[in-house]
Amino acid sequence: MDTTTRAQLEGLLASCCLSEQDMDLRTLTQLFLTQMRISLYGGKSSIPMLPTFLKPFGELPDGQPVAVAEIDDQEVRVSLVTFQNGKPTITEQDSFPVPGRDYPAPLEDLLFAAAELLEPMLDRAKDVALCLPFPMDYDSKGDACIRRFPGTMDISDYEGRPILAILKEEFSQRGFPDLNLVAVPQPGAIQLAAAVEKPGQSRYQGMVWGTHIAGGFAAPGSMIVRWLAIPSHLMLMDCGFSSFEQIPFGMADLPKDRDCYAPGLDLLLKAVSTDYIGDTYRLVMLKAAERKLLSFGCSRDFLSLTTMDLASVIEFLNDPIEGGTIAHFCREPQDREIGLFLANAVLDRPVRLVCAMISAMASFAGIGRDPEAPACLGAFGEALEIPPLKDRLENLMQSFTRDVLGHHITLCTGKDMLAVGSAAAALYNR
């Protein structure tokens, strides 16, 4: 690449807030930390720090099944989880499209779908765990109200309504009045699953990165200064990172934000979600076309698109010659070189933001200071199944989180972490 083109691309990256200067990891980590601390002290913050009152430890009795329902913006999934010598077995898995995705639905319909799928298991399971990705306000009695649903869902009549009380009434009408019900945030479930999978680590935290982003860890309730008389025992904390606002926001982000479900909100989610990264690349390539960095044919092809998914970008990176739609658009060598350069820059930004988020959680809790006793981060989600994203994240966690900040952290990933961790939470919180 000649120096003139390189300089023009660097200018394009700066205008889109994709340059390394815009994405300085130390600065981003401090921004996350500041918002977390403001939230704990009761100030106005874009990261709600939500105490769950759920114990992060306990006993896993052998042979006592737990019925688990995982609900997200795609489907309701249920399974029966049984532990034997600390090892989980998962059976009777089933699923159903989530109400409120393709049509408006009240909260009762959502919980009815979960109850309908769970009922066949309740002749054996006396513990039921509901695993949710939505931000929740817990009360000290173990129930929770959902703060809001994502823009992909249309759920009504949920504000201020305790979900476990509604579900308990539904089960009572079905002849199951004496169940132990627990609502578990996804990061908490992943943290507990990591502890089951890798026992004996110094500390544990949890993270979800895929269509949405979230994180959590265990901390004493007494650290939440804004909450008077909160119990001081160790509990799971759910951090609402998706709404974090203090991120660099560039020219390619403006049209994406303008046309989305919630302009001006959920800025971190829009920067790192696997639902959005592909379209960010499309918009950056359009900006390159505006600056006449691409050939006429390549510019015309990108202008013909109204959306692009992340899979297309990954396919192009893996095979720039024959790799699907983008490779077909970038037929000329210069187009291909620019397309690859910008694709790598677009993928780097969400990885750097997620690394800063992880680093902020580690710094906040002070974990992994001893290299001989590293902490463990349970990590789950679609992004962790995409090698170009996972590999970059692991490299940054070594070069920055470990080598610069001094936090030694290993990743623990797995397919069934939500079910396993949710079942553990139900048994720990009887």
Side-chain angles (χ1 to χ4, degrees), residues 196-251:
V196 170
E197 177 66 24
K198 289 189 174 183
Q201 303 297 299
S202 61
R203 296 280 291 278
Y204 297 91
Q205 294 187 339
M207 177 192 75
V208 186
W209 180 22
T211 57
H212 70 290
I213 183 76
F217 51 86
S222 55
M223 76 173 183
I224 308 174
V225 179
R226 63 179 168 79
W227 196 312
L228 299 178
I230 189 171
S232 60
H233 63 73
L234 202 64
M235 65 179 68
L236 294 174
M237 296 289 299
D238 185 21
C239 308
F241 287 116
S242 67
S243 57
F244 179 60
E245 296 175 352
Q246 285 70 28
I247 65 170
F249 206 64
M251 294 302 295

Side-chain angles (χ1 to χ4, degrees), residues 281 285 298 302 316 320 326-332 335-336 339:
Y281 177 70
M285 289 296 282
C298 184
F302 272 97
F316 176 55
I326 301 175
H328 177 70
F329 289 176
C330 298
R331 294 179 292 274
E332 301 294 331
D335 292 335
R336 188 179 307 123

Side-chain angles (χ1 to χ4, degrees), residues 129-374:
L130 198 63
C131 184
L132 300 166
F134 319 119
M136 293 180 284
D137 288 309
Y138 285 78
D139 61 33
S140 57
K141 298 177 182 178
D143 212 333
C145 300
I146 296 173
R147 283 191 167 198
R148 62 190 179 99
F149 286 89
T152 51
M153 298 183 70
D154 188 356
I155 300 291
S156 60
D157 300 328
Y158 66 89
E159 295 182 3
R161 302 187 66 192
I163 54 175
L164 295 185
I166 298 172
L167 195 57
K168 191 175 185 64
E169 177 62 26
E170 179 66 35
F171 285 138
S172 294
Q173 293 177 8
R174 295 167 182 256
F176 302 99
D178 300 319
L179 299 173
N180 169 47
L181 304 181
V182 177
V184 190
Q186 281 191 353
I190 294 163
Q191 176 183 330
L192 298 187
V196 170
E197 177 66 24
K198 289 189 174 183
Q201 303 297 299
S202 61
R203 296 280 291 278
Y204 297 91
Q205 294 187 339
M207 177 192 75
V208 186
W209 180 22
T211 57
H212 70 290
I213 183 76
F217 51 86
S222 55
M223 76 173 183
I224 308 174
V225 179
R226 63 179 168 79
W227 196 312
L228 299 178
I230 189 171
S232 60
H233 63 73
L234 202 64
M235 65 179 68
L236 294 174
M237 296 289 299
D238 185 21
C239 308
F241 287 116
S242 67
S243 57
F244 179 60
E245 296 175 352
Q246 285 70 28
I247 65 170
F249 206 64
M251 294 302 295
D253 297 303
L254 294 173
K256 181 176 63 176
D257 182 61
R258 177 198 63 208
D259 298 334
C260 77
Y261 69 94
L265 302 177
D266 290 345
L267 298 188
L268 182 66
L269 176 70
K270 294 167 188 173
V272 307
S273 168
T274 52
D275 279 347
Y276 285 88
I277 298 173
D279 220 37
T280 299
Y281 177 70
R282 177 184 68 88
L283 292 165
V284 170
M285 289 296 282
L286 290 179
K287 293 298 177 184
E290 288 177 8
R291 297 183 180 216
K292 303 191 183 307
L293 294 170
L294 303 174
S295 68
F296 174 78
C298 184
S299 299
R300 178 195 59 205
D301 289 340
F302 272 97
L303 282 166
S304 71
L305 298 177
T306 58
T307 187
M308 177 171 285
D309 58 24
L310 176 57
S312 297
V313 182
I314 301 301
E315 187 179 20
F316 176 55
L317 284 172
N318 290 336
D319 186 356
I321 305 297
E322 301 290 339
T325 301
I326 301 175
H328 177 70
F329 289 176
C330 298
R331 294 179 292 274
E332 301 294 331
Q334 182 172 345
D335 292 335
R336 188 179 307 123
E337 188 176 25
I338 290 172
L340 288 170
F341 179 88
L342 293 177
N344 280 296
V346 167
L347 291 191
D348 279 345
R349 180 172 75 158
V351 173
R352 294 177 78 84
L353 284 165
V354 172
C355 179
M357 183 192 88
I358 292 169
S359 301
M361 288 200 301
S363 298
F364 188 91
I367 66 171
R369 291 296 189 185
D370 183 357
E372 300 300 319

Side-chain angles (χ1 to χ4, degrees), residues 70-86:
E70 306 164 37
I71 301 177
D72 58 27
D73 66 344
Q74 299 291 329
E75 61 182 6
V76 181
R77 297 175 298 277
V78 298
S79 57
L80 195 66
V81 182
T82 308
F83 292 93
Q84 195 70 36
N85 298 321

